[in-house]
Amino acid sequence: MSDTSKGIPQEQLPSQELHPPPMPVINLGHLSLDDPTVRSRVVNDIAKACRDLGYFQVISHGISQSVMDGAIEAASEFFKLPNEIKKEYASDDIRQPVRYDTSSKDGISMSRAFLKHYAHPLCDWLQYWPQQPPIYRQAVSSLKKEYMAKYAVEVRVVALKLMEAILEGLGIGKEYMHEKFEEGLQLLSVNCYPKVSQSDTSIGLAAHSDYGLLTILLTSCQGLEVVDRSSNSWKVVQQLPHALHVHVGDHMEVLSNGRIKTVVHRAVLNPQEARISLASIHGFALHEKVSSAKELVDEENPQKYKESSFNDFLEHLTANMDNRQRNFLESLRM
């Protein structure tokens, strides 16, 4: 789920596409090493990337290439299905456990088709996933090849590791609200962007931020851009082999009391090929409130945001369905 951002840089911002600056690349495998000095350095690198940019890429994250390829394949096969099959999952109700739609109603989808569904706990949500293509919904225990369910489970492990490191970097300890993160929500937003043509808009998904704490993105080819705060321009996210893109969301800004800022990003259409992207969005459970950590609030840094839940976000979207400039994070500022 995403939300447009009032007052954020829009499509007219200059682009750094010709000479994109380097992006932080974190070796996540180093977090598991016994050497505390190495772990501390990785935590500091993640903390700096979150604080200065709000995004980075991770390698050595523990998800095999076959699992990543299988998830992309399952998504691609779903979008190739006849429209009458895909429309079985179409709904105007944003609270449905599975929802398919095309660029039409949400105000930010310019040229995309998407399938959104919950993924944690998998045993609760798998029954609602599409039955076609058969590879999409196979239970993890019966997989002969690693498809969407396996990827969902493994990318959540990555998210939990990253959350621990981010919390440690904030100085509130990796065990902070551990159970709420363990029991939290995972939403998969599976997207298909067409190949750009002369008659198409070049924007697949307009500028927005994600509601959650953390988003981990797997893509089939280049097409993601983020706002670079230092230059106030669009920055092209390079497609690195076996890397996952990570960016923070609105609720991370709330939790950190503004020390970490949400990331404004967009999807542009690829001129060479259609693009598949899998955004795994992680947050607290549906009705669990996210508030600024009390350890990060004092007289010099008073609380800047009201507490809120994913359910509050859904209510905000419903109430502002006809307002394309709706902004969830702005509604939380105190």
Side-chain angles (χ1 to χ4, degrees), residues 4 7 18 39 43 50-52 65 74 87 106 119-120 132 138 143 160 172 185 187-188 244 262 295 321-322 328:
T4 53
L18 293 179
R39 175 183 169 79
V43 168
C50 287
R51 183 178 62 251
D52 295 348
Q65 191 63 52
K87 286 181 178 178
D106 63 7
H120 179 78
Q132 297 293 329
Q138 291 186 51
L143 288 176
L160 291 174
I172 55 180
L185 178 146
L187 176 73
L188 285 184
L244 295 169
T262 193
E295 293 85 351
M321 195 60 70
D322 296 327
F328 179 58

Side-chain angles (χ1 to χ4, degrees), residues 40-93:
S40 178
R41 185 167 61 245
V42 176
V43 168
N44 289 336
D45 288 346
I46 293 174
K48 178 175 173 55
C50 287
R51 183 178 62 251
D52 295 348
L53 301 171
Y55 55 83
F56 52 93
Q57 294 193 342
V58 292
I59 58 174
S60 300
H61 40 66
I63 305 177
S64 71
Q65 191 63 52
S66 65
V67 170
M68 295 166 68
D69 291 344
I72 293 290
E73 180 184 352
S76 180
E77 290 300 312
F78 172 81
F79 290 113
K80 291 177 183 177
L81 292 173
N83 285 334
E84 56 267 24
I85 296 179
K86 290 182 289 189
K87 286 181 178 178
E88 293 177 7
Y89 302 97
S91 174
D92 291 331
D93 182 1

Side-chain angles (χ1 to χ4, degrees), residues 242-271:
H242 198 58
L244 295 169
H245 175 81
V246 180
H247 59 248
V248 300
D250 295 349
H251 271 157
M252 183 66 77
E253 182 168 333
V254 172
L255 178 68
S256 68
N257 200 33
R259 296 192 184 190
I260 296 174
K261 302 295 186 183
T262 193
V263 175
V264 177
H265 54 288
R266 68 179 182 180
V268 297
L269 303 185
N270 191 298

Side-chain angles (χ1 to χ4, degrees), residues 39 159-169 174-175 178:
R39 175 183 169 79
L160 291 174
K161 288 181 181 178
L162 286 169
M163 279 305 310
E164 287 185 353
I166 292 170
L167 294 172
E168 195 172 340
K174 65 179 183 179
E175 297 300 322
H178 180 75

Side-chain angles (χ1 to χ4, degrees), residues 65 81 89 95 114 126 129 208 214 222 234 265 303:
Q65 191 63 52
L81 292 173
Y89 302 97
R95 294 180 179 275
F114 65 81
L126 191 64
W129 287 19
H208 67 285
L214 205 62
Q222 187 170 296
W234 287 109
H265 54 288
Q303 184 177 342

